[in-house]
Amino acid sequence: MSVPVMICAKQTNFDACVTLAQQHGLGIEVQTFAYPDALDGDWRGLIHHYRAALESVPGPVALHGPFMDMASGSVDPLVNRVVRARARHALHIAAELGARTVIFHANFIATMRNPAYRSGWTRRQIEFWEPLAEQAQRAGQVIALENMWEYDPDIIGQVVRELDHPGLRACLDVGHAHLFSDMALDAWIDHLHAMIAHVHINNNDGTIDEHHALDDGVLDYRALLPRLCALPNRPPLALEIEDVGAIARSLAYLRGSGAWG
């Protein structure tokens, strides 16, 4: 049942996460470049530091792209221009770091439930992501669209399915699906299934998107982990947890469950 495991590392805990990855044979999902202060700051200097550190990481490397206020497929061409520039920048950084998976949020406006918005949004997403998926594929990368506010797995699933490009897949965020969806997690797993290239795991209290240890919250990972480990493409399970002690607890939990180790 064992699957690849990664640690999500931000600028504040990057070095500690790299040490854990070295000790346990894990991969790293770099999240530093998801934020504008890094993208507009000394990002080249960060790449130099990160690339040297990641050479010692035994597992795969992924990168979380920018997501704050990123409305891909916007009806406003100026907004699209900004989001596309940020996405291309993230793909460039991923290539520099040797990251093969790049995660972006879909950012569907979940309160807009009228069919016209959804159909237009889907069409614009396909138009937006197609050239980026082609860029990613040329670099040996895969873009994974992550659910955030989406209440239905088919919001992302339809984009991936209709574009039908090997450079675009889905990232299932378990905590987001539990908090913001109308559908049970089993339905998300069943629906996205072979589209899933990456999985974010953590726990929460059922009301707020807090990144707790796997054993600290309402999500029952004893039931969830066998389903996630049985996904056909064996996507890595990325521990999206900021506290290093909680990461270590979650690794022990994964080992005890038989999902890893």
Side-chain angles (χ1 to χ4, degrees):
M1 191 171 82
S2 182
V3 296
V5 173
M6 308 178 82
I7 301 173
C8 295
K10 296 185 176 180
Q11 193 166 0
T12 53
N13 65 2
F14 179 80
D15 292 330
C17 287
V18 167
T19 298
L20 266 182
Q22 292 168 340
Q23 292 171 345
H24 296 284
L26 308 174
I28 291 284
E29 179 189 319
V30 178
Q31 296 197 332
T32 299
F33 302 99
Y35 300 94
D37 56 344
L39 293 170
D40 293 334
D42 183 20
W43 59 272
R44 292 180 181 86
L46 284 170
I47 285 176
H48 179 74
H49 169 62
Y50 280 26
R51 185 163 50 201
L54 291 170
E55 287 177 356
S56 65
V57 169
V61 176
L63 183 131
H64 199 307
F67 66 95
M68 300 293 292
D69 302 321
M70 294 289 101
S72 55
S74 171
V75 296
D76 188 326
L78 293 180
V79 172
N80 259 340
R81 191 179 305 168
V82 170
V83 180
R84 186 175 293 109
R86 287 295 202 202
R88 291 196 185 281
H89 191 188
L91 292 175
H92 170 74
I93 292 171
E96 290 287 315
L97 296 178
R100 297 304 179 198
T101 304
V102 187
I103 299 98
F104 293 102
H105 286 197
N107 282 333
F108 183 89
I109 302 175
T111 53
M112 299 277 286
R113 299 212 175 195
N114 51 308
Y117 168 73
R118 181 160 170 174
S119 61
W121 182 90
T122 301
R123 174 181 50 79
R124 293 190 301 273
Q125 292 299 308
I126 292 168
E127 294 170 354
F128 180 89
W129 290 110
E130 184 172 18
L132 292 165
E134 291 175 355
Q135 176 182 340
Q137 185 185 29
R138 288 194 298 270
Q141 301 166 336
V142 171
I143 291 171
L145 290 185
E146 175 185 348
N147 60 296
M148 179 68 184
W149 314 114
E150 292 77 15
Y151 52 83
D152 174 348
D154 200 42
I155 293 172
I156 289 174
Q158 186 176 1
V159 174
V160 176
R161 187 172 59 250
E162 291 192 12
L163 180 54
D164 191 24
H165 193 290
L168 187 71
R169 290 292 179 264
C171 169
L172 173 62
D173 188 297
V174 172
H176 295 165
H178 176 76
L179 286 167
F180 307 124
S181 173
D182 296 342
M183 302 175 69
L185 276 165
D186 279 348
W188 280 79
I189 295 169
D190 289 340
H191 189 91
L192 295 176
H193 200 55
M195 302 180 203
I196 299 174
H198 199 77
V199 180
H200 282 159
I201 57 174
N202 51 47
N203 217 325
N204 59 67
D205 67 359
T207 60
I208 300 174
D209 184 27
E210 295 177 317
H211 296 173
H212 294 168
L214 297 186
D215 61 354
D216 182 15
V218 298
L219 288 161
D220 180 9
Y221 276 98
R222 296 288 177 187
L224 277 170
L225 286 170
R227 298 226 57 206
L228 296 173
C229 292
L231 285 167
N233 297 318
R234 298 185 72 248
L237 305 181
L239 289 164
E240 195 173 30
I241 300 167
E242 286 77 22
D243 181 77
V244 176
I247 295 171
R249 276 175 52 199
S250 298
L251 290 173
Y253 186 97
L254 287 173
R255 182 176 283 114
S257 72
W260 165 78

